[in-house]
Amino acid sequence: PITTNNFLEYVREGLYDKTLIHRSVSEFVIQGGGYTWPTVASNESGGYPLKFKSKGEIINEPINSNLMGTIAMAKVSGQPNSATSEWFVNLSDNISLDSQNEGFSVFGHLLGDSINNPLLLNNQTKYNVNYSDVGLNLPELPLFDLQGNIINPTNYFAIHTVSTISQRPSEI
């Protein structure tokens, strides 16, 4: 309940809107919930993501298993109660995460065949990007259609909006 309520609070406040997928590890996870999607004027190129301010750490609740399509909170290695805003989608059955770092708190899952969208990132090119101006390094950043060495906002995999639904859709 703590993990779910934490995630929903970020959703209700629109804090996950205009964020990006900042980590992709093939056949393992995609991760988001920590960095803004860079925006720049339409006549400029570049820009860089910014880490948004979290609401603080929450208590770890490792109850459910990290199976393909589940959503769990990311945390700092060796610090089981360090989850804040960052989450990940399991791209395979990652049962080892059930006990690693005292377990990762799974709080949701993708519905129906929606796992197909994150799975598209399995073969996407990842880059080790260092934004030296702001002291940010993203070593597993998936980028789309990168030309040269300037990253434009359209090269990122972005989350435009996240919202709640009042009723679970029926699965077919």
Side-chain angles (χ1 to χ4, degrees), residues 138-158:
L138 297 174
E140 298 166 309
L141 182 65
L143 295 171
F144 173 74
D145 198 28
L146 184 63
Q147 305 294 319
N149 61 358
I150 295 180
I151 303 171
N152 293 299
T154 56
N155 297 126
Y156 294 97
F157 288 89

Side-chain angles (χ1 to χ4, degrees), residues 123-138:
N123 297 318
Q124 189 58 47
T125 304
K126 288 97 171 158
Y127 297 85
N128 182 353
V129 178
N130 186 1
Y131 300 92
S132 55
D133 293 352
V134 293
L136 174 63
N137 185 51
L138 297 174

Side-chain angles (χ1 to χ4, degrees), residues 85-102:
S85 63
E86 293 188 32
W87 49 265
F88 62 89
V89 174
N90 285 291
L91 300 180
S92 63
D93 289 345
N94 295 318
I95 296 171
S96 66
L97 296 179
D98 295 349
S99 58
Q100 182 183 344
N101 198 12
E102 296 187 26

Side-chain angles (χ1 to χ4, degrees), residues 153-167:
T154 56
N155 297 126
Y156 294 97
F157 288 89
I159 310 267
H160 291 275
T161 58
V162 176
S163 59
T164 60
I165 55 175
S166 59
Q167 182 177 345

Side-chain angles (χ1 to χ4, degrees), residues 2-27:
I2 293 169
T3 306
T4 302
N5 288 332
N6 176 67
F7 184 82
L8 289 174
E9 192 171 322
Y10 282 98
V11 170
R12 283 190 288 272
E13 293 183 20
L15 296 174
Y16 288 137
D17 296 354
K18 297 185 176 137
T19 59
L20 59 89
I21 300 298
H22 65 272
R23 180 176 180 228
S24 176
V25 181
S26 295
E27 306 298 327

Side-chain angles (χ1 to χ4, degrees), residues 56-86:
E57 296 176 342
I58 59 171
I59 295 172
N60 194 30
E61 300 175 296
I63 299 166
N64 301 308
S65 192
N66 285 269
L67 301 175
M68 181 172 169
T70 58
I71 308 166
M73 295 305 291
K75 55 188 177 173
V76 177
S77 178
Q79 298 178 30
N81 295 315
S82 62
T84 58
S85 63
E86 293 188 32

